[in-house]
Amino acid sequence: QMEKGQLSRDTFMKEIAAMTEHIVKKAKEYDRDTVPGDYATLQTPCPNCGGVVKENYRRYTCTGKPGAEPCGFSFGKSPAGRTFEVAEAESLLATKHIGPLEGFRSKAGWPFTAEIVIKHDEETNNWKLEFDFGDDKNADTGEIVDFSQQDTVGPCPVCGAPVFEHGSNYVCEKAVPTVAQPTPSCTFKTGKIILQQPVEREQIEKLLATGKTDLLDKFVSMRTRRAFKAFLVWNKDEGKVTFEFAPREGGSKFPPRKTFSKAAPAKKVAAKKSAAAKTPAAKKAAAPKAPRKPGAGLKPSEALAAVIGAEPVARTEVIKKLWDYIKANGLQDATNKRAINADAKLKPVFGKDQVTMFELAGIVGKHLSA
Ligand SMILES: [Zn+2]
Ligand SMILES: [Zn+2]
Protein backbone atom coordinates (compact mmCIF):
# COMPACT_ATOMS: atom_id res chain seq x y z
CA GLN A 1 0.00 0.00 0.00
CA MET A 2 2.74 2.35 1.07
CA GLU A 3 4.71 1.52 -2.02
CA LYS A 4 1.72 2.12 -4.15
CA GLY A 5 1.11 5.45 -2.43
CA GLN A 6 4.75 6.39 -2.87
CA LEU A 7 4.60 5.57 -6.53
CA SER A 8 1.60 7.68 -7.23
CA ARG A 9 3.21 10.47 -5.26
CA ASP A 10 6.34 10.20 -7.44
CA THR A 11 4.20 10.31 -10.53
CA PHE A 12 2.36 13.27 -9.16
CA MET A 13 5.61 15.11 -8.41
CA LYS A 14 6.95 14.31 -11.85
CA GLU A 15 3.83 15.69 -13.41
CA ILE A 16 4.11 18.82 -11.32
CA ALA A 17 7.75 19.18 -12.37
CA ALA A 18 6.89 18.70 -16.03
CA MET A 19 4.10 21.17 -15.81
CA THR A 20 6.31 23.73 -14.08
CA GLU A 21 8.99 23.23 -16.70
CA HIS A 22 6.39 23.76 -19.38
CA ILE A 23 5.10 26.94 -17.76
CA VAL A 24 8.63 28.31 -17.29
CA LYS A 25 9.50 27.48 -20.88
CA LYS A 26 6.33 29.19 -22.06
CA ALA A 27 7.13 32.24 -20.00
CA LYS A 28 10.64 32.36 -21.46
CA GLU A 29 9.28 32.06 -24.97
CA TYR A 30 6.83 34.78 -24.23
CA ASP A 31 9.65 36.97 -23.00
CA ARG A 32 11.74 36.25 -26.04
CA ASP A 33 9.00 37.49 -28.31
CA THR A 34 9.39 40.94 -26.93
CA VAL A 35 13.19 40.99 -26.77
CA PRO A 36 14.79 42.57 -29.83
CA GLY A 37 16.86 40.09 -31.81
CA ASP A 38 14.93 37.12 -30.49
CA TYR A 39 12.26 35.64 -32.63
CA ALA A 40 8.84 34.18 -32.12
CA THR A 41 7.78 30.59 -32.56
CA LEU A 42 4.24 30.50 -33.92
CA GLN A 43 1.68 28.46 -32.03
CA THR A 44 0.05 27.43 -35.29
CA PRO A 45 1.56 24.64 -37.39
CA CYS A 46 2.91 24.83 -40.92
CA PRO A 47 -0.04 24.44 -43.34
CA ASN A 48 2.09 22.20 -45.53
CA CYS A 49 3.75 19.68 -43.20
CA GLY A 50 2.35 20.46 -39.78
CA GLY A 51 5.83 21.46 -38.59
CA VAL A 52 6.87 24.32 -36.34
CA VAL A 53 6.93 27.77 -37.93
CA LYS A 54 9.47 30.22 -36.56
CA GLU A 55 10.19 33.85 -37.19
CA ASN A 56 13.60 34.87 -38.48
CA TYR A 57 15.07 38.12 -39.69
CA ARG A 58 12.78 38.59 -42.67
CA ARG A 59 10.37 35.69 -42.76
CA TYR A 60 8.22 33.18 -40.93
CA THR A 61 9.71 29.85 -41.95
CA CYS A 62 8.78 26.21 -41.37
CA THR A 63 11.45 24.44 -39.32
CA GLY A 64 9.78 21.05 -39.80
CA LYS A 65 8.25 18.58 -37.40
CA PRO A 66 10.53 17.41 -34.58
CA GLY A 67 13.16 15.18 -36.19
CA ALA A 68 12.01 16.02 -39.72
CA GLU A 69 13.37 18.36 -42.37
CA PRO A 70 11.79 21.77 -42.94
CA CYS A 71 9.36 21.55 -45.86
CA GLY A 72 10.27 24.87 -47.45
CA PHE A 73 7.16 26.78 -46.48
CA SER A 74 7.80 30.41 -45.55
CA PHE A 75 6.31 33.85 -45.99
CA GLY A 76 7.58 37.40 -45.65
CA LYS A 77 7.07 39.25 -42.38
CA SER A 78 6.33 42.56 -44.05
CA PRO A 79 4.45 42.16 -47.34
CA ALA A 80 3.97 45.50 -49.12
CA GLY A 81 5.60 47.40 -46.28
CA ARG A 82 3.25 46.25 -43.55
CA THR A 83 4.65 44.04 -40.76
CA PHE A 84 2.51 41.21 -39.37
CA GLU A 85 1.93 41.08 -35.64
CA VAL A 86 2.76 37.59 -34.33
CA ALA A 87 -0.93 37.07 -33.54
CA GLU A 88 -1.82 38.04 -37.13
CA ALA A 89 0.68 35.57 -38.55
CA GLU A 90 -0.82 32.85 -36.35
CA SER A 91 -4.33 33.75 -37.34
CA LEU A 92 -3.30 33.68 -40.99
CA LEU A 93 -1.88 30.17 -40.65
CA ALA A 94 -4.83 28.96 -38.62
CA THR A 95 -7.52 30.12 -41.05
CA LYS A 96 -5.43 30.60 -44.22
CA HIS A 97 -6.95 34.04 -44.43
CA ILE A 98 -6.72 37.40 -42.68
CA GLY A 99 -8.11 40.84 -43.24
CA PRO A 100 -9.00 43.13 -44.72
CA LEU A 101 -5.90 44.78 -43.29
CA GLU A 102 -5.02 48.39 -43.81
CA GLY A 103 -1.63 49.96 -44.18
CA PHE A 104 -0.11 48.22 -47.20
CA ARG A 105 1.73 50.28 -49.76
CA SER A 106 2.00 49.66 -53.46
CA LYS A 107 5.36 49.82 -55.22
CA ALA A 108 4.47 53.34 -56.25
CA GLY A 109 3.95 54.24 -52.61
CA TRP A 110 0.17 54.44 -52.51
CA PRO A 111 -1.68 52.93 -49.60
CA PHE A 112 -4.04 50.03 -50.01
CA THR A 113 -6.21 47.72 -47.98
CA ALA A 114 -6.30 44.02 -48.73
CA GLU A 115 -7.05 40.60 -47.44
CA ILE A 116 -4.25 38.07 -47.37
CA VAL A 117 -4.70 34.39 -48.06
CA ILE A 118 -2.41 31.40 -47.99
CA LYS A 119 -2.97 29.44 -51.15
CA HIS A 120 -1.73 26.09 -52.32
CA ASP A 121 0.54 26.49 -55.30
CA GLU A 122 0.54 23.52 -57.68
CA GLU A 123 3.90 24.40 -59.18
CA THR A 124 5.91 24.35 -55.98
CA ASN A 125 3.51 21.96 -54.26
CA ASN A 126 3.57 24.23 -51.26
CA TRP A 127 1.54 27.04 -49.77
CA LYS A 128 2.22 30.66 -50.47
CA LEU A 129 0.99 34.02 -49.36
CA GLU A 130 -1.11 36.09 -51.72
CA PHE A 131 -2.95 39.38 -51.60
CA ASP A 132 -6.61 38.90 -52.10
CA PHE A 133 -8.58 41.87 -53.36
CA GLY A 134 -12.31 41.30 -53.29
CA ASP A 135 -12.83 41.65 -57.01
CA ASP A 136 -9.78 39.61 -57.99
CA LYS A 137 -11.21 36.80 -55.96
CA ASN A 138 -14.36 37.07 -58.00
CA ALA A 139 -12.36 37.15 -61.19
CA ASP A 140 -10.52 34.02 -60.11
CA THR A 141 -13.57 32.03 -59.21
CA GLY A 142 -15.64 33.59 -61.98
CA GLU A 143 -18.16 34.51 -59.31
CA ILE A 144 -20.70 36.88 -60.78
CA VAL A 145 -21.34 40.07 -58.84
CA ASP A 146 -24.89 41.35 -58.69
CA PHE A 147 -25.29 45.10 -58.30
CA SER A 148 -28.99 45.12 -59.17
CA GLN A 149 -30.07 45.91 -55.60
CA GLN A 150 -27.70 48.88 -55.34
CA ASP A 151 -27.85 52.48 -56.41
CA THR A 152 -24.77 53.62 -58.25
CA VAL A 153 -22.31 55.91 -56.49
CA GLY A 154 -21.57 57.67 -59.78
CA PRO A 155 -19.93 57.19 -63.17
CA CYS A 156 -16.52 55.50 -63.45
CA PRO A 157 -13.86 58.10 -64.30
CA VAL A 158 -12.14 55.59 -66.57
CA CYS A 159 -14.98 54.15 -68.63
CA GLY A 160 -18.18 55.88 -67.53
CA ALA A 161 -19.91 52.71 -66.32
CA PRO A 162 -21.65 52.93 -62.93
CA VAL A 163 -19.57 52.55 -59.77
CA PHE A 164 -20.94 50.51 -56.85
CA GLU A 165 -19.97 49.51 -53.34
CA HIS A 166 -18.31 46.12 -53.31
CA GLY A 167 -16.75 44.56 -50.22
CA SER A 168 -14.10 46.92 -48.89
CA ASN A 169 -14.04 48.94 -52.11
CA TYR A 170 -15.99 51.10 -54.48
CA VAL A 171 -15.62 49.48 -57.88
CA CYS A 172 -16.59 50.13 -61.46
CA GLU A 173 -19.30 47.71 -62.55
CA LYS A 174 -17.01 46.69 -65.39
CA ALA A 175 -14.09 45.96 -63.09
CA VAL A 176 -15.77 42.82 -61.74
CA PRO A 177 -17.54 39.92 -63.43
CA THR A 178 -21.26 40.58 -63.91
CA VAL A 179 -24.01 38.81 -65.79
CA ALA A 180 -23.83 41.49 -68.48
CA GLN A 181 -20.05 41.29 -68.75
CA PRO A 182 -18.38 38.21 -67.24
CA THR A 183 -14.88 39.36 -68.20
CA PRO A 184 -13.96 42.63 -66.50
CA SER A 185 -12.88 45.38 -68.89
CA CYS A 186 -12.09 48.18 -66.44
CA THR A 187 -9.86 48.50 -63.38
CA PHE A 188 -11.38 51.36 -61.42
CA LYS A 189 -11.51 50.66 -57.70
CA THR A 190 -10.93 52.70 -54.59
CA GLY A 191 -10.92 51.65 -50.94
CA LYS A 192 -13.58 52.41 -48.35
CA ILE A 193 -10.79 52.97 -45.86
CA ILE A 194 -7.61 54.70 -46.95
CA LEU A 195 -4.83 55.14 -44.39
CA GLN A 196 -7.39 54.76 -41.59
CA GLN A 197 -9.63 57.42 -43.12
CA PRO A 198 -13.12 56.04 -43.72
CA VAL A 199 -14.22 57.20 -47.15
CA GLU A 200 -17.97 57.64 -46.93
CA ARG A 201 -20.22 57.00 -49.87
CA GLU A 202 -21.11 60.68 -50.21
CA GLN A 203 -17.40 61.49 -50.57
CA ILE A 204 -17.02 59.02 -53.40
CA GLU A 205 -20.17 60.45 -54.99
CA LYS A 206 -18.44 63.79 -54.84
CA LEU A 207 -15.19 62.42 -56.18
CA LEU A 208 -16.93 60.81 -59.16
CA ALA A 209 -19.05 63.87 -59.87
CA THR A 210 -16.41 66.56 -59.43
CA GLY A 211 -13.07 64.76 -59.44
CA LYS A 212 -12.42 65.54 -55.78
CA THR A 213 -13.66 64.82 -52.25
CA ASP A 214 -14.00 67.28 -49.39
CA LEU A 215 -10.92 67.87 -47.30
CA LEU A 216 -10.70 64.70 -45.17
CA ASP A 217 -8.83 64.96 -41.90
CA LYS A 218 -8.43 61.46 -40.52
CA PHE A 219 -5.65 60.07 -42.69
CA VAL A 220 -2.75 58.68 -40.72
CA SER A 221 0.64 58.48 -42.35
CA MET A 222 2.16 55.01 -42.24
CA ARG A 223 5.59 56.53 -42.18
CA THR A 224 5.26 59.19 -39.52
CA ARG A 225 2.14 57.84 -37.76
CA ARG A 226 0.84 61.39 -37.83
CA ALA A 227 -2.61 62.42 -38.88
CA PHE A 228 -2.91 64.55 -41.99
CA LYS A 229 -5.55 66.21 -44.10
CA ALA A 230 -5.99 65.72 -47.79
CA PHE A 231 -8.48 65.66 -50.60
CA LEU A 232 -8.86 62.47 -52.58
CA VAL A 233 -8.74 63.29 -56.25
CA TRP A 234 -9.08 61.37 -59.46
CA ASN A 235 -5.63 61.57 -61.03
CA LYS A 236 -6.18 61.11 -64.74
CA ASP A 237 -2.48 60.90 -65.53
CA GLU A 238 -1.89 58.04 -63.13
CA GLY A 239 -5.33 56.59 -63.71
CA LYS A 240 -6.06 56.27 -60.02
CA VAL A 241 -7.27 58.01 -56.90
CA THR A 242 -4.48 59.98 -55.25
CA PHE A 243 -4.03 62.59 -52.54
CA GLU A 244 -4.16 66.30 -52.96
CA PHE A 245 -2.95 68.25 -49.97
CA ALA A 246 -4.44 71.40 -48.59
CA PRO A 247 -2.25 74.47 -49.34
CA ARG A 248 -1.16 75.19 -45.79
CA GLU A 249 -0.18 71.62 -45.10
CA GLY A 250 2.69 72.03 -47.54
CA GLY A 251 5.35 72.65 -44.92
CA SER A 252 5.07 69.23 -43.31
CA LYS A 253 7.09 66.31 -44.54
CA PHE A 254 4.34 64.14 -45.85
CA PRO A 255 2.83 65.92 -48.84
CA PRO A 256 4.85 65.35 -52.00
CA ARG A 257 5.43 68.65 -53.71
CA LYS A 258 4.11 67.68 -57.09
CA THR A 259 0.60 67.03 -55.79
CA PHE A 260 0.79 69.89 -53.34
CA SER A 261 1.29 72.36 -56.14
CA LYS A 262 -1.97 71.28 -57.72
CA ALA A 263 -4.02 72.00 -54.62
CA ALA A 264 -7.01 74.20 -55.20
CA PRO A 265 -7.76 77.21 -53.01
CA ALA A 266 -10.14 76.41 -50.18
CA LYS A 267 -12.79 78.85 -51.43
CA LYS A 268 -13.25 77.05 -54.69
CA VAL A 269 -13.69 73.82 -52.84
CA ALA A 270 -16.38 75.29 -50.65
CA ALA A 271 -18.26 76.59 -53.67
CA LYS A 272 -18.06 73.28 -55.42
CA LYS A 273 -19.12 71.49 -52.28
CA SER A 274 -22.38 73.33 -52.01
CA ALA A 275 -23.08 73.00 -55.71
CA ALA A 276 -22.57 69.26 -55.57
CA ALA A 277 -24.56 68.88 -52.39
CA LYS A 278 -27.60 70.63 -53.82
CA THR A 279 -27.96 68.46 -56.86
CA PRO A 280 -27.12 64.89 -55.99
CA ALA A 281 -29.63 63.40 -58.41
CA ALA A 282 -28.80 65.65 -61.31
CA LYS A 283 -25.06 65.30 -60.90
CA LYS A 284 -24.42 63.12 -63.89
CA ALA A 285 -26.30 65.33 -66.26
CA ALA A 286 -25.16 68.56 -64.68
CA ALA A 287 -21.47 67.74 -64.67
CA PRO A 288 -20.62 68.99 -68.14
CA LYS A 289 -22.57 72.23 -67.73
CA ALA A 290 -21.76 73.35 -64.19
CA PRO A 291 -18.97 75.86 -64.75
CA ARG A 292 -17.48 75.83 -61.29
CA LYS A 293 -16.70 72.15 -61.20
CA PRO A 294 -13.10 71.32 -62.01
CA GLY A 295 -12.81 69.45 -65.27
CA ALA A 296 -16.02 70.97 -66.59
CA GLY A 297 -16.10 73.09 -69.72
CA LEU A 298 -12.94 71.82 -71.35
CA LYS A 299 -12.60 72.47 -75.05
CA PRO A 300 -12.09 69.42 -77.26
CA SER A 301 -9.37 69.56 -79.90
CA GLU A 302 -10.43 69.54 -83.54
CA ALA A 303 -9.74 65.82 -83.84
CA LEU A 304 -11.72 65.02 -80.70
CA ALA A 305 -14.54 67.39 -81.68
CA ALA A 306 -15.00 65.33 -84.84
CA VAL A 307 -15.95 62.40 -82.62
CA ILE A 308 -17.82 63.92 -79.66
CA GLY A 309 -18.77 67.38 -80.89
CA ALA A 310 -17.19 70.78 -80.24
CA GLU A 311 -19.17 71.71 -77.09
CA PRO A 312 -17.09 72.21 -73.94
CA VAL A 313 -17.35 69.12 -71.75
CA ALA A 314 -16.16 67.64 -68.48
CA ARG A 315 -13.33 65.16 -68.71
CA THR A 316 -15.38 62.29 -67.34
CA GLU A 317 -18.09 63.08 -69.83
CA VAL A 318 -15.57 62.95 -72.67
CA ILE A 319 -14.52 59.46 -71.75
CA LYS A 320 -18.12 58.41 -71.49
CA LYS A 321 -18.92 59.90 -74.90
CA LEU A 322 -15.86 58.31 -76.45
CA TRP A 323 -16.86 55.03 -74.96
CA ASP A 324 -20.39 55.39 -76.36
CA TYR A 325 -18.88 56.07 -79.76
CA ILE A 326 -16.58 53.06 -79.50
CA LYS A 327 -19.49 50.83 -78.55
CA ALA A 328 -21.82 52.24 -81.18
CA ASN A 329 -19.25 51.63 -83.88
CA GLY A 330 -18.12 48.23 -82.63
CA LEU A 331 -14.52 49.36 -82.20
CA GLN A 332 -13.75 47.25 -79.17
CA ASP A 333 -11.36 44.56 -80.40
CA ALA A 334 -13.15 41.23 -80.77
CA THR A 335 -10.33 39.15 -79.30
CA ASN A 336 -8.94 41.61 -76.77
CA LYS A 337 -11.80 43.50 -75.13
CA ARG A 338 -9.35 45.92 -73.56
CA ALA A 339 -8.12 47.12 -76.93
CA ILE A 340 -9.86 49.71 -79.05
CA ASN A 341 -9.39 49.82 -82.79
CA ALA A 342 -9.32 53.29 -84.26
CA ASP A 343 -11.59 54.14 -87.16
CA ALA A 344 -10.93 57.08 -89.48
CA LYS A 345 -12.28 59.58 -86.92
CA LEU A 346 -10.52 58.11 -83.90
CA LYS A 347 -7.13 57.67 -85.48
CA PRO A 348 -6.24 61.38 -85.34
CA VAL A 349 -7.30 61.33 -81.66
CA PHE A 350 -5.36 58.20 -80.74
CA GLY A 351 -2.42 58.87 -83.01
CA LYS A 352 -2.25 55.15 -83.79
CA ASP A 353 -4.37 52.23 -84.99
CA GLN A 354 -5.06 50.66 -81.64
CA VAL A 355 -4.98 51.73 -77.98
CA THR A 356 -5.88 49.99 -74.73
CA MET A 357 -8.73 51.28 -72.65
CA PHE A 358 -6.24 52.21 -69.97
CA GLU A 359 -4.61 54.70 -72.29
CA LEU A 360 -7.91 56.44 -73.01
CA ALA A 361 -7.87 58.87 -70.09
CA GLY A 362 -4.33 59.97 -70.90
CA ILE A 363 -5.12 60.42 -74.57
CA VAL A 364 -8.23 62.43 -73.79
CA GLY A 365 -6.16 64.75 -71.63
CA LYS A 366 -4.06 65.72 -74.62
CA HIS A 367 -7.15 66.71 -76.56
CA LEU A 368 -8.72 69.00 -73.97
CA SER A 369 -7.88 72.56 -73.15
CA ALA A 370 -9.36 75.05 -70.70
ZN1 LIG B 1 6.32 22.78 -43.19
ZN1 LIG C 1 -14.84 51.70 -65.28
Side-chain angles (χ1 to χ4, degrees):
Q1 270 182 342
M2 283 291 282
E3 269 176 11
K4 205 173 180 188
Q6 191 67 31
L7 236 162
S8 63
R9 190 173 175 273
D10 276 352
T11 310
F12 178 69
M13 287 310 287
K14 269 180 199 159
E15 274 173 8
I16 291 278
M19 196 183 285
T20 309
E21 200 173 72
H22 178 74
I23 289 167
V24 169
K25 188 166 164 271
K26 275 274 175 199
K28 277 183 181 164
E29 276 172 2
Y30 180 78
D31 248 4
R32 267 211 304 275
D33 291 353
T34 61
V35 176
D38 267 315
Y39 296 122
T41 299
L42 299 189
Q43 301 300 307
T44 43
C46 166
N48 194 47
C49 74
V52 178
V53 179
K54 290 188 174 175
E55 181 188 7
N56 60 34
Y57 179 52
R58 286 184 179 279
R59 307 182 71 78
Y60 287 101
T61 304
C62 173
T63 60
K65 280 184 165 174
E69 292 289 307
C71 73
F73 170 76
S74 77
F75 62 96
K77 280 159 71 172
S78 305
R82 183 194 184 283
T83 303
F84 284 121
E85 308 275 344
V86 172
E88 287 175 347
E90 287 177 338
S91 161
L92 175 61
L93 289 193
T95 63
K96 299 191 171 63
H97 167 272
I98 190 168
L101 299 173
E102 297 161 36
F104 297 107
R105 280 192 170 254
S106 72
K107 280 179 185 146
W110 296 106
F112 67 94
T113 299
E115 299 183 29
I116 287 186
V117 293
I118 290 192
K119 263 193 182 168
H120 195 259
D121 182 39
E122 301 302 329
E123 240 173 76
T124 59
N125 194 29
N126 208 325
W127 295 74
K128 64 172 184 183
L129 183 144
E130 266 179 26
F131 283 107
D132 186 0
F133 305 97
D135 49 359
D136 291 350
K137 183 166 62 190
N138 287 318
D140 279 355
T141 61
E143 191 183 313
I144 298 292
V145 183
D146 177 16
F147 292 121
S148 63
Q149 302 303 311
Q150 279 196 49
D151 288 330
T152 177
V153 187
C156 170
V158 180
C159 74
V163 171
F164 293 101
E165 293 184 39
H166 183 50
S168 54
N169 289 297
Y170 300 96
V171 299
C172 170
E173 178 184 60
K174 301 203 165 169
V176 291
T178 56
V179 172
Q181 185 180 299
T183 306
S185 60
C186 186
T187 57
F188 179 78
K189 167 177 74 179
T190 183
K192 285 185 178 174
I193 300 174
I194 297 177
L195 285 182
Q196 301 182 33
Q197 165 77 56
V199 185
E200 304 296 344
R201 185 183 164 98
E202 61 158 344
Q203 291 299 333
I204 292 302
E205 283 177 359
K206 199 161 287 189
L207 175 78
L208 296 178
T210 69
K212 193 168 173 177
T213 64
D214 291 337
L215 185 61
L216 305 174
D217 60 3
K218 293 188 180 62
F219 294 106
V220 177
S221 162
M222 285 303 294
R223 231 181 318 168
T224 64
R225 296 273 160 195
R226 285 163 68 177
F228 66 94
K229 298 177 189 179
F231 303 96
L232 290 176
V233 295
W234 172 246
N235 186 323
K236 59 164 173 43
D237 298 325
E238 296 188 46
K240 59 185 174 186
V241 174
T242 60
F243 294 120
E244 182 173 293
F245 298 95
R248 272 174 210 160
E249 240 86 65
S252 76
K253 273 184 195 168
F254 193 85
R257 279 174 210 292
K258 60 167 190 170
T259 44
F260 164 56
S261 66
K262 286 182 198 163
K267 272 180 197 168
K268 264 194 190 170
V269 175
K272 175 197 70 180
K273 196 165 98 183
S274 58
K278 272 179 212 156
T279 56
K283 233 177 265 171
K284 229 169 143 179
K289 286 159 210 157
R292 267 180 296 184
K293 288 177 185 173
L298 293 168
K299 199 169 167 287
S301 70
E302 219 170 287
L304 184 59
V307 183
I308 65 158
E311 295 253 312
V313 279
R315 196 182 301 277
T316 50
E317 196 65 15
V318 175
I319 291 167
K320 197 164 168 289
K321 283 186 173 179
L322 260 185
W323 207 236
D324 289 345
Y325 179 88
I326 290 159
K327 289 252 164 93
N329 292 278
L331 298 173
Q332 213 170 350
D333 195 89
T335 52
N336 176 9
K337 293 279 185 196
R338 296 174 184 215
I340 298 148
N341 297 313
D343 63 359
K345 274 186 178 179
L346 279 179
K347 201 171 169 189
V349 178
F350 292 169
K352 48 187 170 180
D353 291 329
Q354 195 185 63
V355 301
T356 69
M357 61 195 343
F358 308 112
E359 292 174 84
L360 262 192
I363 289 167
V364 163
K366 291 177 201 154
H367 288 274
L368 292 172
S369 53

